[in-house]
Amino acid sequence: MSNFDVIKERDKKYFMNTYSPVDIAFVKGEGCYLTDSEGKTYLDFLAGIAVNALGYNHPIFTDALIEQAKKVTVVSNYFYSEPRGLIAEQLVKGTNLGKVFFGNSGAEANECSIKLARKYFYKRGENKYKIVSARQSFHGRTLATVTATGQEQYNKPFAPLPGGIGIYVPYNDEEALAKALGDKEVAALLIEPIQGEGGIMPATESYMKLARELTKKNGQLLILDEVQTGAGRTGKFWAFEHYGIEPDVVSAAKGIGGGFPISACLATDEVAEAWTPGDHGTTFGSAPLACAVGYAVCKKIREPGFMEDVTRKGEYLRARLKEIKHPKVKEVRGMGLIDGMEVEDEAFAKAIYNDMLSKGYILNVCGHKVMRFVPPLIITEEQIDEMIEELKKTVASL
């Protein structure tokens, strides 16, 4: 048996069947490249689904990890630790947000956001508890967040679902949004500035501005799910900065840890005051190890010129994608380095994915028929050119 066969057989025997992995096991990475168990190298345009912001084995990441691991990894939240405050400061810098709660995953960040919204109005004595979200959204896998996810394929098997959460509106539909938010029992709107799993669909500026205007007018909270769009992915640290709005709550994960599990729920000082000790918590959230790594990664992303470079490379990637001419290629869209190429159907998208993977290029299909490009933020134009030339050949051959 090959090394891969051994890995696969053990995995199939002991690991729960919740994924459908392809027959590849990655064993190491360097920069924007991954190497599998058989020695084949791949150029990565998925980055762990927008996670590995600085790629693989970046000294900023590895040095912070090793240095903190030699000190202390977990101390429990019964005590203070310096890294917690350092990364919290990085996350709220330049925003209207003031306080942060740390968890381990995007779902936990959204769960925290939903609980915080309900606690905020409970403390104020107001009967507001409903959470409105968008169709084709994705907010996580816990019962509350999978209910907020506006895709039946994810939540139908887990019925009965928690009440007051599954209120869905069509994305970018301003009339439907106004109608849903007219309900006096609505506590918050939970929305992605760019739908990730829904097919790399950016919100229009007027839609986001209306969302802020209506929630403020109705005395509701605006929660932005920036799990996939945060940490410089769009060319600004937070995607909401592109829209000129100020949210009440923001959820984040993925890129803020650069590959280490950490998530965050950010809120204004006023909203955060709803919490009292014991209302919410987690054993591993805000552990010194996770926070130290996240702080180093976020500090690097905030360095002068870094996010401007992301913007430039994103524009370059979209321009090159638009060079691909084929009757089944419908649209290219995105912002910064979260970009999508929509094709005619799911079968065509899967065929592109499989052919590119066989050539050594890691892409991804989201929204059933959208090729997703979320490479490490350190990707180069030369690497983009290399991938595009092969993608052109693949599309033409199909």
Side-chain angles (χ1 to χ4, degrees):
M1 295 179 73
S2 68
N3 187 28
F4 170 73
D5 290 331
V6 173
I7 293 170
K8 181 178 179 179
E9 287 305 308
R10 184 184 296 114
D11 200 90
K12 287 179 68 176
K13 183 176 180 180
Y14 296 111
F15 188 70
M16 288 188 182
N17 182 31
T18 57
Y19 305 102
S20 297
V22 296
D23 283 351
I24 297 172
F26 291 116
V27 295
K28 65 179 181 179
E30 188 70 36
C32 296
Y33 295 92
L34 283 167
T35 303
D36 70 16
S37 58
E38 310 309 298
K40 183 176 178 178
T41 300
Y42 300 74
L43 181 53
D44 185 12
F45 275 77
L46 182 60
I49 317 179
V51 168
N52 300 295
L54 302 182
Y56 302 93
N57 199 26
H58 193 290
I60 293 290
F61 178 92
T62 54
D63 289 353
L65 182 66
I66 292 168
E67 183 180 340
Q68 187 61 43
K70 290 179 178 178
K71 296 176 181 176
V72 63
T73 57
V74 179
V75 295
S76 95
N77 288 302
Y78 291 133
F79 306 96
Y80 287 96
S81 74
E82 185 179 26
R84 183 171 68 184
L86 287 172
I87 183 175
E89 183 180 35
Q90 284 291 317
L91 294 179
V92 303
K93 184 185 295 186
T95 74
N96 65 305
L97 305 162
K99 297 288 191 298
V100 185
F101 176 88
F102 290 106
N104 310 282
S105 67
E108 289 177 66
N110 280 322
E111 184 90 16
C112 178
S113 299
I114 292 169
K115 285 182 66 177
L116 178 56
R118 287 187 167 180
K119 179 64 194 301
Y120 175 75
F121 289 107
Y122 173 82
K123 189 175 181 180
R124 291 162 61 98
E126 297 183 52
N127 185 35
K128 292 179 181 286
Y129 64 94
K130 294 179 181 177
I131 308 295
V132 174
S133 55
R135 297 194 183 280
Q136 301 309 120
S137 61
F138 186 87
H139 299 293
R141 305 280 190 170
T142 65
L143 269 178
T145 58
V146 82
T147 304
T149 293
Q151 300 189 58
E152 196 174 76
Q153 61 174 319
Y154 292 115
N155 57 41
K156 186 178 180 180
F158 307 107
L161 299 168
I165 299 178
I167 303 163
Y168 313 120
V169 293
Y171 197 63
N172 279 330
D173 186 326
E174 296 181 13
E175 185 178 340
L177 180 65
K179 183 178 179 180
L181 295 181
D183 185 339
K184 296 185 184 302
E185 293 180 331
V186 168
L189 170 66
L190 171 60
I191 200 88
E192 299 162 276
I194 300 175
Q195 287 192 331
E197 302 306 316
I200 312 301
M201 185 65 67
T204 63
E205 185 174 348
S206 63
Y207 183 76
M208 290 299 286
K209 286 186 180 299
L210 180 65
R212 177 66 286 186
E213 178 187 322
L214 290 174
T215 49
K216 188 167 287 187
K217 175 185 174 183
N218 297 335
Q220 299 154 343
L221 300 184
L222 176 61
I223 304 172
L224 296 185
D225 180 340
E226 294 240 23
V227 169
Q228 195 162 156
T229 56
R233 175 60 55 182
T234 66
K236 292 187 181 295
F237 200 88
W238 301 113
F240 71 77
E241 296 177 65
H242 292 281
Y243 296 95
I245 61 171
E246 293 186 337
D248 300 297
V249 182
V250 171
S251 55
K254 292 186 182 288
I256 66 170
F260 198 93
I262 184 172
S263 68
C265 170
L266 294 71
T268 63
D269 286 321
E270 179 196 348
V271 173
E273 284 178 5
W275 286 138
T276 56
D279 281 342
H280 197 54
T282 169
T283 298
F284 292 103
S286 71
L289 183 59
C291 289
V293 174
Y295 168 66
V297 170
C298 291
K299 189 177 178 183
K300 174 65 179 177
I301 292 170
R302 284 197 180 276
E303 283 186 357
F306 188 95
M307 287 184 278
E308 289 80 0
D309 202 38
V310 170
T311 297
R312 180 183 58 79
K313 290 184 291 189
E315 291 171 350
Y316 185 76
L317 172 57
R318 289 188 295 281
R320 298 256 24 215
L321 286 170
K322 289 176 181 178
E323 295 175 11
I324 300 173
K325 306 299 182 183
H326 189 284
K328 288 192 173 185
V329 175
K330 301 302 179 184
E331 184 183 16
V332 172
R333 55 181 179 259
M335 190 182 293
L337 285 171
I338 174 169
D339 301 295
M341 183 178 77
E342 183 174 341
V343 299
E344 188 171 87
D345 54 58
E346 187 173 359
F348 193 70
K350 286 185 176 179
I352 293 173
Y353 164 79
N354 288 325
D355 192 60
M356 288 296 286
L357 190 62
S358 70
K359 292 178 177 181
Y361 298 89
I362 304 171
L363 306 183
N364 175 249
V365 179
C366 64
H368 301 296
K369 57 178 182 177
V370 178
M371 304 307 303
R372 171 166 48 183
F373 303 86
V374 282
L377 301 183
I378 61 168
I379 197 81
T380 66
E381 288 189 3
E382 291 74 22
Q383 289 168 331
I384 290 172
D385 287 337
E386 178 189 333
M387 182 277 296
I388 290 291
E389 292 309 313
E390 290 302 325
L391 183 58
K392 284 182 175 179
K393 295 174 186 176
T394 289
V395 172
S397 72
L398 298 174

